[in-house]
Structure formats: structure tokens, C-alpha cells
Amino acid sequence: MERSLADYLTDITYRAQFGDERAAAIMARFELPRLVEALRAVLDEHSPDERGRCPSCRNRRFGRAPAPCRAYLTAHLCLVVTEGETPEETTRPIRRQVAFGS
């Protein structure tokens, strides 16, 4: 399952970056909404409860991690353009290494 998801993401990234205009438009119209919906579903599972804690993450023996949890932090770091950058200046997705399990 992990491999098939990685292959899917590689494929759509390649088509968006190197495909002709028609292929990129088709990809944006059909694949982009699916990706957004998938990310929303993951983030919904990590929405903070009434005490501001993530209901899905358990980083402590007797409690839950405070929000925003790593899922929200990772999504924010990977997707949100940093202040001062315009989309034209960003030629590839912003990716940062995030340590998990530490």
C-alpha cells in the first residue's frame, strides 16, 4: 500500500511538472481535488478537541499531544508558501525534513 501511494504521488507530480498543457490541466482538474480531499480527511482525524489536544496522536504515556500535532505541522510546512515568496518564485514543492518518532 505504501509503495502504490508513493508511485501515485510520483506519477502525478511528474505529469504536473513535465506534461504538456492539456495533461497538466486534466491532472489539475481531476487529481488535485482528490489530493485535497485526502489531506482534509487526514487533518480531520487530527483536529484538536475542546482542550486543544489531538485526538489521534499519543506522544505521552498518559495523554495526548497538544495541537497542532505533527500532522498539522507537517502539512503546514510542506504546503504554505513562506512569507515573502510568491508562487512564481517557488519552482517545486516546499519540502522540509520532519523527524517522526523522536
Side-chain angles (χ1 to χ4, degrees):
M1 185 167 45
E2 183 180 346
R3 185 79 205 135
S4 67
L5 184 56
D7 289 345
Y8 167 76
L9 294 173
T10 298
D11 179 56
I12 62 170
T13 300
Y14 182 85
R15 286 190 287 154
Q17 289 177 336
F18 303 110
D20 60 15
E21 294 300 317
R22 182 176 180 274
I26 290 170
M27 191 280 312
R29 178 167 286 151
F30 295 106
E31 299 299 332
L32 187 58
R34 293 176 65 206
L35 289 168
V36 170
E37 189 61 32
L39 180 59
R40 282 186 178 147
V42 170
L43 294 177
D44 282 349
E45 290 182 20
H46 294 271
S47 292
D49 63 15
E50 63 278 351
R51 291 179 290 160
R53 306 258 180 206
C54 177
S56 297
C57 294
R58 291 181 186 257
N59 288 345
R60 298 192 175 95
R61 182 176 273 191
F62 299 108
R64 299 191 190 276
C69 67
R70 288 181 187 251
Y72 265 88
L73 291 173
T74 301
H76 183 78
L77 289 173
C78 290
L79 297 174
V80 177
V81 177
T82 60
E83 192 173 316
E85 275 186 337
T86 62
E88 295 81 31
E89 294 172 339
T90 307
T91 57
R92 56 190 172 128
I94 299 170
R95 300 194 111 227
R96 294 178 175 86
Q97 293 295 321
V98 178
F100 288 98
S102 49

